[in-house]
Amino acid sequence: MYDHDLLVVGSANADLVIDVERRPAAGETVLGSDLAVHPGGKGANQAVAGARLGARTALLARVGDDAYGRLLLDSQRAAGVDTAGVLVGGAPTGVALITVDPSGDNSIVVSPGANGRLTPADVRAATGLLHASRVVSAQLEIPLETVVEVVRNLAPGSRFVLNPSPPRPLPAEVLAACDPLIVNEHEAQVILGESAGAGDEPEEWARLLLAKGPKSVVVTLGGEGALVASANGVSRVPSVKVAAVDTTGAGDSFTAALAWRLGTGHGLAEAAAYAARVGAAAVTRRGAQESFPTAEEVEALGCADPGDATRGPGRTADSAPGHERRGGSL
């Protein structure tokens, strides 16, 4: 028996958010709203999203011994996340500087701080936590060598899910463990490298990514939904039409929901369709963790009609399927 449905290994940041009428050009200063501070980071976001949905969730991360670190620990515990794996000290808590424009799109700059001090030795020390978890999810806001160590310490029979954000080329050992590898257009192109030009369609990206070794692949396409790919073939997952207020954290909620549903025995396409509803619900509210829905809210959204977004597709960074996008976001 597993003690946890989902273990998230990743980053924990304080999100410093300012609303702006438009994002500044190089050398330009623009005025924004009052500063808002929220708990964030891709790892911490995924953990809260999973716990909100009802998954027994744990987090392996590192924060600073400071006010931001306490904010993050409080938010995890309030959501019901097991924080026994959260290490404290070694560097200041990571910080994400976020600007949000009136369309809901965002730009993000991250100072990793303590996230960069989550080491392979920390993973080895937490082997018991990894072996007690049915699904392990990771991202790339922590050192890549730490993610490699996660793969090497997975329990037999557990499942590994990776969203390679921010993207970089991945070693074969990590790719082979992914089930699935979850990417958007930008992430897919970085991982594929020169071979990305071989096909302009998402279905072709998915096939090329599968050839690199993952057991399965999910490509998120913003307003166009998503597609899933495995040895059984490639299929599309429709979107749910909503108007985006703030896309911050939407991709993290999608990943957590997908990972949890896969761990409960759902098929890849079914799990991705559920995750698309979770991501769509998240973008209808401001903030990251504050916007993540409960299972009941997701079921209510599931009654909405699936369909195309009314604007162009969002295929870049923090987008999740199923919401109206108005240009690229980071």
Side-chain angles (χ1 to χ4, degrees), residues 212-251:
K212 285 185 169 288
K215 298 178 181 68
S216 60
V217 170
V218 175
V219 181
T220 61
L221 301 171
E224 293 183 355
L227 63 83
V228 299
S230 68
N232 296 324
V234 180
S235 61
R236 288 266 181 166
V237 175
S239 64
V240 177
K241 183 179 175 181
V242 298
V245 173
D246 182 1
T247 62
T248 307

Side-chain angles (χ1 to χ4, degrees), residues 41-307:
K42 298 189 75 64
N45 286 350
Q46 287 185 18
V48 168
R52 286 266 176 85
L53 294 170
R56 296 173 301 164
T57 306
L59 176 65
L60 175 57
R62 184 176 287 276
V63 298
D65 185 10
D66 51 34
Y68 290 151
R70 290 186 286 276
L71 169 71
L72 286 157
L73 283 168
D74 288 345
S75 70
Q76 294 293 306
R77 291 165 181 157
V81 176
D82 182 345
T83 59
V86 179
L87 306 170
V88 179
T93 300
V95 173
L97 309 176
I98 304 172
T99 57
V100 182
D101 70 19
S103 75
D105 281 332
N106 58 57
S107 295
I108 306 173
V109 177
V110 175
S111 172
N115 297 307
R117 275 73 166 186
L118 187 66
T119 66
D122 295 330
V123 172
R124 290 191 293 271
T127 298
L129 185 58
L130 269 74
H131 285 194
S133 304
R134 186 183 304 276
V135 180
V136 178
S137 178
Q139 328 79 40
L140 297 182
E141 287 184 341
I142 56 176
L144 181 57
E145 58 265 29
T146 303
V147 176
V148 171
E149 196 66 25
V150 169
V151 167
R152 292 174 179 173
N153 285 274
L154 292 171
S158 66
R159 190 163 191 160
F160 179 66
V161 175
L162 177 67
N163 171 220
S165 178
R168 69 193 79 172
L170 296 171
E173 181 179 7
V174 171
L175 285 167
C178 295
D179 191 14
L181 176 73
I182 303 174
V183 295
N184 57 31
E185 177 181 18
H186 174 60
E187 292 155 1
Q189 291 174 343
V190 171
I191 293 170
L192 288 171
E194 294 181 358
S195 61
D200 294 326
E201 293 301 316
E203 286 81 0
E204 186 62 20
W205 306 336
R207 294 186 184 98
L208 290 169
L209 286 167
L210 273 178
K212 285 185 169 288
K215 298 178 181 68
S216 60
V217 170
V218 175
V219 181
T220 61
L221 301 171
E224 293 183 355
L227 63 83
V228 299
S230 68
N232 296 324
V234 180
S235 61
R236 288 266 181 166
V237 175
S239 64
V240 177
K241 183 179 175 181
V242 298
V245 173
D246 182 1
T247 62
T248 307
D252 301 327
S253 65
F254 176 90
T255 298
L258 177 65
W260 173 52
R261 296 292 271 200
L262 289 172
T264 59
H266 291 78
L268 186 60
E270 185 181 4
Y274 180 82
R277 294 201 300 273
V278 173
V283 303
T284 62
R285 295 190 286 244
R286 289 195 174 274
Q289 294 178 18
E290 311 95 301
S291 73
F292 297 156
T294 63
E296 292 76 17
E297 290 169 331
V298 176
E299 290 306 314
L301 185 62
C303 298
D305 292 330

Side-chain angles (χ1 to χ4, degrees), residues 8-27:
V8 181
V9 184
S11 59
N13 295 323
D15 288 348
L16 310 185
V17 184
I18 299 178
D19 291 328
V20 293
E21 285 300 315
R22 59 183 175 83
R23 283 168 282 184

